[in-house]
């Protein structure tokens, strides 16, 4: 079976975990602090705060920015469910915005239009508290335009950079452009700690709140235990942080491999009607997933295709989720098909192909040939 993804776990990863387990310190200690420093140095920000997973990072970002019941957060329609769930779990309302057909990222024109509508009415204007774009599949959202719009309305931007560690816009790393960046170290991301997450910020006040919020509300800098707010237990373990440091040491190599493999697929699909990932000019993408788009001219049944490829030894899956059309959000807010036309299209027609460091050129040819045969088309 050609697997969709395989985490890069090597000898030094095992050794780091083993040494830390034997050290006797298992939860949030020197390894976590060291891992935070490595990530802060890598992306180039003042503060990095490790947490138990990427969803916890997003949740804490909203809590730290004081998102309360009744508030609204503008968010892309096309993402993993955590991105919208955390808004809902704060008692706030996600306001979904359609995406761009080429990058699958939040469309700034739709953002502008949505905000114009909300800000023109004082009842909704005062409820809008944050904008939450996602760097989908490791490709940067159009941050210059999103930040310009956000600044005009004075609304903070939280980057869901869960898939985007190492991605950049004009050389600025994902997670350093908004007020807060949120990363995940789930095994489907480029580097992993099993479960794990990280927040990044240049704001010392937000950083201190996040440190307290992840640890039962304990003041991070007090000489005696002082509980300054109600907090969660969203801490990372020491052995995950040790693994994280070993993983960060090879992040650039992992990204380079993913680029090489992505270019390989690009060449294979160049002569077909399949749309390969389109990377914007000023952006560096990290290809957390290699997601293709099947044109409307090729009708297919998605689940049948996925199962058929699996039988032929190729593991593929959908891109990601049309959040407003999932049962919960659809029934709660009454969304119907057509409200997000680009997301409708991309959700129905995108597929994630296998991409991991053990993938050979022959594997990639097999993925290409099997997929095209299953879709009933020939190359060229
Ligand atoms: C993976 C992911 C998350 C959640 O991260 P976890 O560590 O799995 O909680 C959130 N948003 C996006 C876009 C993701 O891809």
């Amino acid at each position: 079976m050609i697997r969709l993804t395989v985490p890069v776990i090597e000898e030094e990863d095992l050794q780091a975990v083993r040494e830390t387990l034997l050290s006797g310190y298992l939860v949030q200690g020197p390894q976590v602090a060291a891992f935070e420093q490595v990530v802060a140095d890598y992306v180039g920000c003042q503060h990095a705060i490790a947490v138990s997973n990427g969803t916890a990072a997003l949740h804490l970002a909203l809590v730290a920015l004081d998102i309360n019941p009744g508030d609204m957060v503008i968010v892309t329609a096309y993402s993993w469910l955590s991105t919208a769930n955390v808004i809902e779990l704060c008692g706030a309302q996600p306001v979904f915005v359609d995406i761009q057909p080429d990058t699958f990222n939040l469309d700034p024109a739709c953002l502008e239009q949505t905000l114009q509508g909300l800000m023109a009415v004082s009842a909704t204007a005062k409820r809008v508290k944050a904008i939450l774009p996602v760097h989908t599949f490791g490709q940067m959202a159009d941050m210059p335009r999103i930040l310009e719009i956000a600044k005009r309305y004075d609304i903070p931007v939280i980057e869901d950079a869960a898939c985007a560690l190492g991605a950049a816009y004009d050389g600025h790393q994902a997670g350093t452009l908004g007020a807060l960046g949120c990363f995940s170290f789930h095994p489907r991301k480029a580097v992993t700690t099993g479960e794990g997450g990280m927040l990044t910020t240049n704001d010392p006040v937000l950083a201190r709140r996040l440190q307290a919020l992840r640890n039962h509300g304990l003041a991070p800098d007090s000489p005696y235990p002082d509980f300054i707010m109600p907090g969660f237990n969203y801490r990372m373990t020491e052995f995950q942080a040790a693994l994280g440091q070993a993983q960060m040491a090879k992040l650039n190599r992992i990204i380079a491999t993913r680029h090489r493999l992505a270019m390989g697929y690009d060449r294979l699909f160049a002569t077909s009607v399949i749309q390969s990932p389109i990377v914007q000019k000023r952006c560096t993408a990290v290809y957390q997933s290699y997601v293709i788009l099947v044109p409307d001219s090729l009708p297919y049944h998605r689940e049948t295709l996925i199962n058929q490829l699996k039988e032929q030894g190729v593991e593929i899956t959908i891109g990601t989720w049309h959040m407003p059309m999932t049962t919960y959000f659809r029934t709660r807010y009454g969304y119907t098909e057509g409200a997000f036309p680009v997301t409708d299209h991309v959700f129905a027609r995108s597929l994630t192909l296998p991409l991991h460091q053990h993938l050979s050129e022959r594997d990639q040819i097999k993925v290409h040939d099997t997929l095209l045969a299953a879709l009933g088309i020939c190359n060229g």
Side-chain angles (χ1 to χ4, degrees):
M1 175 67 82
I2 301 177
R3 297 270 307 275
L4 189 64
T5 183
V6 181
V8 183
I9 300 294
E10 296 164 330
E11 197 47 46
E12 63 271 19
D13 300 295
L14 302 176
Q15 197 167 346
V17 173
R18 182 184 157 82
E19 273 171 22
T20 309
L21 281 173
L22 292 172
S23 76
Y25 293 94
L26 298 192
V27 177
Q28 196 168 311
Q31 295 298 332
V32 169
F35 182 35
E36 290 172 335
Q37 192 60 51
V38 169
V39 173
D41 290 345
Y42 185 91
V43 301
C45 73
Q46 293 295 315
H47 308 277
I49 299 95
V51 290
S52 43
N53 56 66
T55 307
L58 287 165
H59 190 195
L60 285 197
L62 296 177
V63 176
L65 287 174
D66 215 19
I67 308 297
N68 287 308
D71 290 343
M72 290 173 156
V73 176
I74 320 282
V75 63
T76 181
Y78 187 57
S79 183
W80 177 238
L81 273 301
S82 325
T83 317
N85 282 345
V86 290
I87 300 168
E88 196 72 16
L89 289 168
C90 287
Q93 177 183 339
V95 178
F96 294 103
V97 168
D98 209 1
I99 58 171
Q100 298 171 311
D102 48 358
T103 65
F104 311 152
N105 275 318
L106 182 145
D107 187 335
C110 297
L111 171 67
E112 175 89 66
Q113 200 179 13
T114 301
L115 270 176
Q116 259 168 17
L118 292 170
M119 301 312 272
V121 184
S122 69
T124 47
K126 56 174 183 264
R127 293 173 60 194
V128 180
K129 291 294 165 59
I131 302 170
L132 179 38
V134 179
H135 303 311
T136 308
F137 308 134
Q139 156 141 240
M140 297 298 288
D142 187 346
M143 291 306 286
R145 284 179 71 194
I146 293 168
L147 290 170
E148 185 272 315
I149 295 166
K151 194 172 171 193
R152 203 156 6 105
Y153 291 106
D154 195 23
I155 304 167
V157 173
I158 302 166
E159 297 172 70
D160 183 340
C163 299
L165 187 57
Y169 204 114
D170 281 340
H172 298 288
Q173 289 275 321
T176 65
L177 292 138
L180 288 164
C182 301
F183 293 97
S184 165
F185 301 103
H186 180 272
R188 272 204 63 189
K189 323 300 184 193
V191 289
T192 185
T193 58
E195 299 280 6
M198 191 76 75
L199 288 124
T200 48
T201 184
N202 288 317
D203 182 333
V205 177
L206 280 179
R208 185 167 182 268
R209 291 183 77 172
L210 292 166
Q211 284 160 352
L213 283 168
R214 73 159 165 202
N215 189 20
H216 307 289
L218 186 66
D221 43 14
S222 169
Y224 55 90
D226 188 11
F227 296 91
I228 54 174
M229 62 183 76
F232 303 87
N233 177 358
Y234 278 171
R235 292 176 308 216
M236 179 179 272
T237 67
E238 283 286 276
F239 45 98
Q240 287 171 306
L243 176 56
Q245 291 167 73
Q247 293 271 298
M248 287 300 292
K250 53 191 163 209
L251 175 56
N252 286 341
R253 163 164 60 93
I254 292 171
I255 292 174
T257 303
R258 301 185 78 82
H259 267 266
R260 177 174 57 73
L261 294 168
M263 297 310 118
Y265 275 138
D266 282 356
R267 276 193 299 276
L268 287 167
F269 287 106
T271 51
S272 77
V273 291
I274 301 291
Q275 178 185 309
S276 295
I278 298 168
V279 178
Q280 295 305 104
K281 271 200 185 62
R282 294 147 67 188
C283 297
T284 310
V286 292
Y287 296 97
Q288 178 266 336
S289 291
Y290 189 92
V291 179
I292 56 143
L293 204 64
V294 182
D296 280 332
S297 56
L298 288 178
Y300 74 108
H301 184 267
R302 195 174 62 192
E303 306 329 311
T304 310
L305 181 83
I306 290 172
N307 286 331
Q308 190 182 332
L309 258 73
K310 190 173 240 168
E311 275 164 29
Q312 294 174 305
V314 177
E315 189 182 17
I316 63 165
T317 188
I318 65 162
T320 187
W321 293 90
H322 190 324
M323 298 193 295
M325 289 305 278
T326 55
T327 299
Y328 176 76
F329 290 108
R330 187 168 43 79
T331 46
R332 172 140 170 81
Y333 297 107
Y335 291 116
T336 49
E337 214 178 304
F340 307 93
V342 181
T343 309
D344 291 347
H345 174 75
V346 171
F347 176 62
R349 315 220 44 105
S350 59
L351 295 168
T352 306
L353 305 189
L355 189 70
H356 57 77
Q357 73 159 10
H358 304 301
L359 204 65
S360 69
E361 206 178 322
R362 260 182 52 206
D363 291 337
Q364 289 195 289
I365 291 168
K366 178 173 174 184
V367 172
H368 167 268
D369 292 353
T370 314
L371 178 67
L372 289 198
L375 285 167
I377 54 176
C378 305
N379 204 355

